[in-house]
Amino acid sequence: EVQLVESGGGLVQPGGSLRLSCAASGFTFSSYPMSWVRQAPGKGLERLSLIDTIGGSIWYTDSVKGRFTISRDNAKNMLYLQLNSLKTEDTAMYYCTRGVSRPEGQGTQVTVSS
C-alpha cells in the first residue's frame, strides 16, 4: 500500500520558515520523481516543485522560486521542502506526490499569519 505522510506544517509569522517532510512507503521511492503541491482554501491544486529521482533536476513554480527548496533522501525514503521568507499567500495545505499525480496523503497545514 502506497503511503505518503506529510508533516512539519504549522503557524508561522510572515518572513518565517518551516521545513516540511514527506515519509514515503509502499513503493520504490528512488524510482519516482516527486513533487510538492498545495491547495489554498477555495482554490485548486498548485504544483510548487518537482525533483527527479536523484535530485539532479529540479523545477519550481515562479511564485516560490528563491524561497522554497526541495530535496530528497532516497536512503530514508524521505522528501523535504524548506520554506523560507513565508508570505500570507503561502497559507495552504501542502502535499507531496509521486511524479505529477494527485495527492495521496493527508497533507500538512501551513498557516502564515501575524
Side-chain angles (χ1 to χ4, degrees):
E1 178 191 2
V2 172
Q3 284 197 320
L4 295 170
V5 180
E6 301 91 346
S7 63
L11 173 63
V12 63
Q13 292 186 341
S17 297
L18 286 171
R19 189 193 194 207
L20 307 185
S21 298
C22 170
S25 62
F27 64 101
T28 305
F29 178 75
S30 60
S31 296
Y32 281 79
M34 297 292 294
S35 72
W36 286 96
V37 302
R38 69 185 177 189
Q39 187 165 27
K43 297 189 176 181
L45 284 172
E46 178 186 19
R47 198 165 306 277
L48 305 177
S49 182
L50 179 70
I51 187 169
D52 70 358
T53 56
I54 59 171
S57 181
I58 290 173
W59 168 87
Y60 297 100
T61 193
D62 285 347
S63 62
V64 307
K65 200 174 295 182
R67 299 190 299 123
F68 292 5
T69 303
I70 192 171
S71 61
R72 65 190 297 162
D73 185 335
N74 287 343
K76 296 181 179 179
N77 288 355
M78 294 293 295
L79 180 72
Y80 304 101
L81 188 68
Q82 178 68 40
L83 287 61
N84 295 331
S85 303
L86 282 162
K87 306 175 182 180
T88 55
E89 53 263 44
D90 294 318
T91 294
M93 188 71 78
Y94 285 68
Y95 303 88
C96 61
T97 74
R98 293 188 292 171
V100 294
S101 64
R102 294 187 61 81
E104 297 171 272
Q106 297 301 306
T108 186
Q109 177 69 39
V110 172
T111 303
V112 185
S113 175
S114 56

